[in-house]
Amino acid sequence: ELKVEQNPLFLSMQEGKNYTIYCNYSTTSDRLYWYRQDPGKSLESLFVLLSNGAVKQEGRLMASLDTKARLSTLHITAAVHDLSATYFCAVDVQVDMRFGAGTRLTVKP
Amino acid sequence: DTGVSQNPRHKITKRGQNVTFRCDPISEHNRLYWYRQTLGQGPEFLTYFQNEAQLEKSRLLSDRFSAERPKGSFSTLEIQRTEQGDSAMYLCASSLELNQPQHFGDGTRLSIL
């Protein structure tokens, strides 16, 4: 059974600091997605990673995928308060998309 | 086009009642997904349609749950004889192709009294 594990589940960081969120998954897949969810809101797509070694960047966020290690990372550079949200990774096996439990990020001034 | 639309936004009902939710996907998207999300968890896949065909159902989807997409456009999710454990946010998403991100609606929050 496909399992998707994120860590940490909770992350509190100071503005201006860097940090990395990790997403491990248990079966072969070369489609991995990162989503953001603000409290009371729905999910917003951030990145789609479709091949080994894929790296994508948008603003202060950068995502990468290592399909051999079954690992994706979401790196936050010089965090700002607006990045506070819950971040989910999701792995797609055929049509069954499995989400991690999410990383709740709080960026403090 | 304003994205994926779900209604109602909130539904409060007594245990044992039937409820039906509606999802209108982005118009050109032929793939439609239903998920359930509980507090502090990621969305759990329930079912998937490609056009009007329901191609995948999760083991989470008991016999009390049924979903339809009769004309390949909007979809409905019905829960019969609701139970306390059905309380959750029900999310609908749509996508154009398999390798593209899913666009999520704002969800229907179901509360069972």
Side-chain angles (χ1 to χ4, degrees):
Chain A
E1 181 184 342
L2 172 60
K3 293 185 179 179
V4 181
E5 294 184 348
Q6 285 183 239
N7 72 82
L9 297 182
F10 297 92
L11 176 57
S12 179
M13 55 191 299
Q14 296 288 329
E15 279 190 331
K17 298 293 187 183
N18 304 333
Y19 206 83
T20 300
I21 299 170
Y22 297 89
C23 174
N24 291 88
Y25 55 99
S26 63
T27 194
T28 302
S29 174
D30 54 6
R31 292 194 294 269
L32 190 135
Y33 308 80
W34 284 96
Y35 290 87
R36 168 182 172 145
Q37 187 175 36
D38 291 292
K41 303 289 186 182
S42 194
L43 286 83
E44 172 192 353
S45 175
L46 294 175
F47 300 107
V48 180
L49 303 169
L50 298 176
S51 61
N52 187 41
V55 177
K56 291 196 174 179
Q57 182 164 4
E58 181 73 34
R60 301 174 187 274
L61 300 178
M62 183 174 70
S64 66
L65 178 61
D66 182 342
T67 58
K68 293 179 181 178
R70 298 178 184 172
L71 170 69
S72 180
T73 61
L74 181 65
H75 187 72
I76 303 157
T77 302
V80 294
H81 179 69
D82 286 352
L83 290 180
S84 297
T86 299
Y87 293 85
F88 292 97
C89 65
V91 176
D92 187 355
V93 179
Q94 297 180 345
V95 296
D96 185 353
M97 174 114 46
R98 294 291 176 95
F99 284 77
T103 297
R104 186 174 298 179
L105 171 65
T106 303
V107 180
K108 299 181 177 179
Chain B
D1 190 355
T2 56
V4 178
S5 176
Q6 291 187 247
N7 66 83
R9 292 294 308 277
H10 304 274
K11 180 70 177 179
I12 302 173
T13 192
K14 293 182 179 179
R15 186 170 51 133
Q17 298 295 306
N18 299 343
V19 294
T20 300
F21 312 139
R22 176 176 170 130
C23 171
D24 288 88
I26 293 173
S27 57
E28 64 267 27
H29 286 186
N30 57 18
R31 297 169 188 269
L32 186 146
Y33 308 80
W34 284 99
Y35 294 87
R36 180 172 65 191
Q37 186 178 25
T38 54
L39 196 63
Q41 299 296 318
E44 296 174 298
F45 170 80
L46 293 178
T47 191
Y48 158 70
F49 289 85
Q50 184 169 335
N51 298 311
E52 67 275 10
Q54 188 174 17
L55 297 185
E56 191 78 19
K57 290 172 63 174
S58 165
R59 287 171 292 176
L60 293 174
L61 212 64
S62 76
D63 291 344
R64 297 184 298 106
F65 288 70
S66 62
E68 294 182 342
R69 195 182 183 198
K71 297 181 180 179
S73 56
F74 74 91
S75 176
T76 57
L77 178 67
E78 180 183 15
I79 309 174
Q80 295 181 328
R81 304 181 303 282
T82 52
E83 301 174 355
Q84 290 282 353
D86 297 333
S87 294
M89 176 74 85
Y90 289 85
L91 296 168
C92 175
S94 69
S95 69
L96 188 58
E97 298 291 342
L98 188 59
N99 291 342
Q100 292 186 357
Q102 296 176 15
H103 298 259
F104 283 80
D106 287 338
T108 295
R109 183 171 296 282
L110 174 64
S111 299
I112 306 297
L113 301 178

